[in-house]
Amino acid sequence: GASTIEWLQDSLHNSDQASGFLARFIVSIRNRNDKPYVPISQMGNKINSAPLFDTGEVFNRLYGLEETILYRTKDAEAILTAFEYELKDEQDSGKLEDNESSFVERLKYYTHKFAGIIALVNSRPTIQKEDAEDAVTIAKYYRENITRLLNSELLGNIYTRKQEKVFNMIKNAGKDGITQTKLLQNTKYGSKVITAICDELDEQERILIETIEGKTKPVKRYFIIEDN
């Protein structure tokens, strides 16, 4: 499915990369926002181009398949194996970060799955040479997107982005400040993350932290330092 950069920034954690969880997703980053605007009243009537094939029919056919054993031709196997070694050489080069290597490792398996899906879409029980070639082309596209994803502003430093969001919330709260409970409710980051971020902002002398007695336990309230 599609999502926004803002949603990913707020929802992802550093551990999602380190644990390999993020590598379970295949990501496609749109090059630019060049899609023309279509008024709501015209959405039902606008036809951009004839579809290449009936996606609904293809989905129903694949979904309705019984357990199927797929075979590969020797040419197809050679192409898939060569690409797998290409990815392995990239991993062995030592130039990849651990996060990127986990993406590449899963891409090896995805490439074989791409080839299998292409064969099944064409109602073939055997993966042909052209299926393997198409699968490798698709995999190379996603390989480029892995680098773009991990090196982009999107995931460059998730913690820093969260820190700035918390800081801006404290700043926007004005002279009355904001409680830790309110920050937890508005960010959904969790108490450990909020505490770590605010302690660091306090050390940087960007905010002040006050602890006051609450009804049942002490309550932390955060204030902006005027110079910020």
Side-chain angles (χ1 to χ4, degrees), residues 26-82:
I26 300 174
V27 179
S28 177
I29 302 175
R30 190 172 183 175
N31 290 327
R32 59 187 183 278
N33 189 19
D34 56 356
K35 191 174 182 179
Y37 177 76
V38 180
I40 295 174
S41 60
Q42 297 179 18
M43 285 184 177
N45 302 321
K46 188 171 181 63
I47 300 177
N48 293 321
S49 61
L52 296 176
F53 54 84
D54 185 347
T55 54
E57 189 275 330
V58 170
F59 173 81
N60 290 332
R61 175 152 38 96
L62 293 177
Y63 187 76
L65 285 175
E66 299 292 336
E67 184 173 342
T68 303
I69 297 176
L70 283 173
Y71 300 91
R72 292 184 295 262
T73 65
K74 289 184 178 180
D75 286 342
E77 183 172 354
I79 291 170
L80 294 171
T81 300

Side-chain angles (χ1 to χ4, degrees), residues 161-173:
R161 291 180 177 278
K162 289 184 176 181
Q163 187 182 69
E164 288 307 307
K165 180 172 182 176
V166 170
F167 174 77
N168 287 329
M169 284 186 174
I170 297 171
K171 185 176 182 178
N172 293 335

